[in-house]
Amino acid sequence: MEFSRAFQSSCILFCFGFLTACGGGSPMVTDTLIYGRGGDANALDPIHTDIGESVKVIVNIFEPLVAYDDETLDLVPGVAESWETSDDGKEWTFKLRPNVKFHDGTPLNAEAVVFTFERILDPDHPHVHNNIIPYYSSYTQIEKVEAVDDLTVKFTLKQPQATFLANIAMFPSGIVSPTAVKKHGADFTRHPVGSGPFQFVHWKPKQEIVLSRFDDYWGEPAGVERVVFLPSEESSIRVTQLKRAEIHIADNLPPSEVDGLEKTPGVVVQSTPGINIGYLTMQTQKPPLDKPEVRQAICYAIDRDRLIEVAYAGHAQKAKTMVPPTLWGHSDDVPGREVDQEKAKQLLEEASKKYGFSLPLKLELFVMDQPRPYMQQPRQTAIFIKDALEKVGFQIEIITNDIGQHFQRMTRGEHQLGLSGWSADIADPHNFLHTLLHSDNINEIGGNNLSQYKNEEVDKLLDAAQFELDQEKRTQLYKQAQQLIFEDAPVLPLVHVPVRIAQRDFVKGYKLHPSSQVRLKAARMAEQ
């Protein structure tokens, strides 16, 4: 059924004359880029999502004040052409580019920037219709945002924050058209209007999202006329579509499939080291997972080297901490836990007697139904973990949810065990440790501390690191936090995964970005 729906969608697009030929044979190159992926978006309002499939679309429609360089994680001007900060680091003043327009023709000015950030910061904002704002905690140090003049906007912080400028570059900071937000109300998330190189055309849920080139874009125009995001949960379908040139880029494929595509004529593979983490979260507020011994037993039971062979075809690196080794602040001093099933059994049996629960210990393991950059085969990963845990005294029931429901349920703490992961929004350990393990991020409105982990000492270290401006001192604080987190074991870091995509060889100009953001402006279709 999945194939039928995707195939039907492709043929419908062909009838409109902007798609490659359906059904195989030589590809007929057009000016439409078709991006095949493992799932659909859940929202296109930048402030209301943290789902990767939404972000792939959002970063092509919206632009923040500050952006990443095209090839690195260096920060460069976005819709702000320059900025300066006060000596005490509490005031940041941004000068906007002149003559930047939103897709609805209205001007992107200082008032629009103020409107954008007030929607994030004001819980009672009249033009916010959903209380789920996953990145809210990243902006709470902003005391106020003011329009100095039409092209100048000033941020005042409660105290200097090391990550402020990087946070401003994240996708939730994409500047929205106030006119469009007011016009569409709660439906803005399905009628997004930004100032980016592509503008929204339409969204048919679970079928396609179509964007078109924005001809009044202030910068270099997009290299293709249209982009179609085509979801298909079945990786085998995306592989077939790519071989037939029915799609032009496919991501989040199982590593073994990518290995095979590398040998396919007309297909090339791109790869870049990922700044990400795939991990097992343990709900620390639910007995007996509130006992460190039980969580440690789980950690000792799982052979992550074997998992990498089974679920990643060897294309992953065993994780030691939640901070990827490709990022500064990673601690190599944390000892890690090698698989030791006898020790796992011993810890679990001792905990059973000490805390009075019977064995086998029944637990539910939540898993998402779609591949993610850090976990291309979530179902296989869940089965592997279930088998490993049942060898040492657990009884595991796998609960599969669609991607949105999966994370919403875990945000509410409904799980016991759950598969999750994170790709860097910014090149800073704060984005992994504070976001995923600080107690401030335990809430039902998008909090990402899925383990509901609380450790006052860890919170203090992460708070101190957030406000310390000396990077060497910050590094030491993050290393101390990683050691405490290792001892408490609220999560089991599983893997860090390189980002790999397969694409048709006539797609030129598109390069994987270290942030994993899918920025398609430079992509173009070469003539055959």
Side-chain angles (χ1 to χ4, degrees):
M1 185 172 180
E2 281 287 336
F3 179 78
S4 298
R5 184 167 57 220
F7 187 76
Q8 182 183 36
S9 178
S10 295
C11 289
I12 290 172
L13 289 170
F14 173 74
C15 292
F16 281 99
F18 57 84
L19 186 60
T20 59
C22 294
S26 299
M28 181 176 68
V29 178
T30 73
D31 203 19
T32 294
L33 174 67
I34 305 172
Y35 193 105
R37 60 209 188 127
D40 200 4
N42 70 338
L44 296 180
D45 186 334
I47 69 172
H48 288 315
T49 185
D50 60 354
I51 298 298
E53 302 307 334
S54 292
V55 179
K56 289 173 188 172
V57 183
I58 285 171
V59 297
N60 290 286
I61 297 176
F62 297 93
E63 291 185 309
L65 295 172
V66 180
Y68 286 124
D69 177 78
D70 285 343
E71 297 185 12
T72 72
L73 292 169
D74 294 341
L75 296 176
V76 299
V79 295
E81 60 183 6
S82 63
W83 56 87
E84 58 185 23
T85 183
S86 61
D87 290 341
D88 65 3
K90 293 178 66 176
E91 291 184 353
W92 290 75
T93 303
F94 294 84
K95 194 70 176 179
L96 306 182
R97 297 180 188 275
N99 303 317
V100 176
K101 291 182 180 178
F102 289 113
H103 304 149
D104 59 5
T106 58
L108 191 158
N109 53 24
E111 291 294 345
V113 176
V114 173
F115 180 87
T116 294
F117 282 90
E118 286 182 342
R119 290 183 76 229
I120 298 174
L121 295 168
D122 180 0
D124 299 317
H125 196 284
H127 298 294
V128 173
H129 306 279
N130 183 341
N131 66 350
I132 296 177
I133 302 179
Y135 285 83
Y136 170 77
S137 67
S138 296
Y139 302 98
T140 53
Q141 289 307 313
I142 299 174
E143 185 172 275
K144 59 181 177 180
V145 188
E146 304 169 275
V148 177
D149 59 37
D150 199 43
L151 293 178
T152 308
V153 61
K154 183 170 76 174
F155 290 72
T156 302
L157 307 185
K158 296 171 185 173
Q159 57 182 313
Q161 183 183 27
T163 57
F164 170 73
L165 195 62
N167 288 347
I168 292 296
M170 293 196 300
F171 74 89
S173 306
I175 309 304
V176 300
S177 161
T179 301
V181 171
K182 294 171 184 174
K183 174 183 176 182
H184 294 292
D187 217 24
F188 178 74
T189 196
R190 294 193 174 277
H191 297 85
V193 178
S195 63
F198 291 99
Q199 59 185 343
F200 177 78
V201 176
H202 70 240
W203 179 6
K204 296 180 180 178
K206 297 188 177 180
Q207 293 186 36
E208 65 184 23
I209 293 175
V210 178
L211 312 181
S212 67
R213 179 193 291 141
F214 179 42
D215 290 332
D216 286 335
Y217 182 60
W218 60 269
E220 191 73 20
V224 294
E225 173 62 29
R226 287 184 181 251
V227 172
V228 179
F229 289 95
L230 208 60
S232 176
E233 294 177 9
E234 294 295 329
S235 59
S236 60
I237 293 175
R238 279 179 285 139
V239 169
T240 300
Q241 290 174 319
L242 186 67
K243 288 180 176 177
R244 293 178 175 178
E246 294 167 3
I247 63 175
H248 306 136
I249 298 176
D251 69 7
N252 291 343
L253 294 170
S256 59
E257 296 278 20
V258 179
D259 290 344
L261 286 168
E262 275 189 314
K263 304 167 188 169
T264 302
V267 176
V268 295
V269 170
Q270 286 196 58
S271 178
T272 187
I275 309 177
N276 57 39
I277 177 74
Y279 65 95
L280 177 70
T281 173
M282 299 174 251
Q283 220 285 35
T284 62
Q285 302 303 308
K286 283 188 174 178
L289 289 170
D290 57 341
K291 310 303 181 194
E293 299 96 319
V294 177
R295 303 195 297 267
Q296 291 165 3
I298 289 171
C299 293
Y300 280 115
I302 298 171
D303 185 346
R304 291 170 291 163
D305 290 316
R306 182 65 183 147
L307 172 66
I308 289 169
E309 294 302 318
V310 170
Y312 295 88
H315 293 285
Q317 179 179 358
K318 184 166 65 175
K320 181 177 277 190
T321 85
M322 295 292 276
V323 179
T326 47
L327 190 62
W328 68 269
H330 167 80
S331 177
D332 260 335
D333 301 331
V334 173
R337 291 186 179 89
E338 297 301 320
V339 59
D340 187 338
Q341 294 193 337
E342 289 306 314
K343 187 166 186 174
K345 287 180 186 176
Q346 179 186 345
L347 282 167
L348 188 61
E349 288 170 359
E350 290 174 356
S352 169
K353 296 173 183 174
K354 182 177 179 181
Y355 301 113
F357 59 83
S358 59
L359 297 178
L361 178 57
K362 296 181 180 179
L363 295 175
E364 291 180 343
L365 170 60
F366 280 25
V367 59
M368 69 289 272
D369 66 345
Q370 294 177 16
R372 313 305 308 142
Y374 46 78
M375 199 169 290
Q376 294 95 352
Q377 301 189 99
R379 179 72 182 173
Q380 288 85 341
T381 301
I383 291 171
F384 181 92
I385 290 174
K386 169 184 166 71
D387 290 345
L389 294 180
E390 291 191 342
K391 290 176 182 175
V392 301
F394 294 91
Q395 183 176 335
I396 304 298
E397 179 183 3
I398 295 175
I399 307 293
T400 304
N401 293 305
D402 72 63
I403 190 76
Q405 189 182 33
H406 174 71
F407 285 107
Q408 282 182 13
R409 293 190 68 186
M410 292 208 295
T411 296
R412 293 196 293 261
E414 295 179 14
H415 62 297
Q416 292 172 308
L417 305 177
L419 292 179
S420 188
W422 193 260
S423 296
D425 297 300
I426 59 175
D428 196 294
H430 172 89
N431 192 229
F432 287 85
L433 295 176
H434 192 283
T435 301
L436 303 178
L437 291 162
H438 193 289
S439 64
D440 277 355
N441 287 314
I442 301 172
N443 57 67
E444 295 186 7
I445 57 172
N448 281 301
N449 183 347
L450 303 177
S451 297
Q452 299 199 355
Y453 171 58
K454 298 177 182 176
N455 181 317
E456 290 184 3
E457 186 60 28
V458 170
D459 282 356
K460 288 179 183 176
L461 289 166
L462 298 182
D463 286 338
Q466 179 180 192
F467 301 121
E468 173 58 59
L469 302 182
D470 183 298
Q471 184 165 319
E472 182 53 39
K473 292 179 181 176
R474 295 186 72 208
T475 297
Q476 296 309 313
L477 293 166
Y478 284 129
K479 286 186 174 182
Q480 292 176 53
Q482 287 170 78
Q483 179 63 37
L484 293 177
I485 292 165
F486 166 76
E487 292 167 6
D488 289 342
V491 293
L492 173 60
L494 296 172
V495 291
H496 307 293
V497 184
V499 179
R500 302 167 84 204
I501 63 164
Q503 66 183 63
R504 297 300 305 188
D505 59 1
F506 52 76
V507 176
K508 306 294 185 183
Y510 174 60
K511 293 182 179 179
L512 283 176
H513 193 266
S515 69
S516 299
Q517 287 190 356
V518 177
R519 303 192 298 183
L520 298 170
K521 183 180 73 173
R524 58 185 173 81
M525 312 296 269
E527 293 184 3
Q528 298 289 286

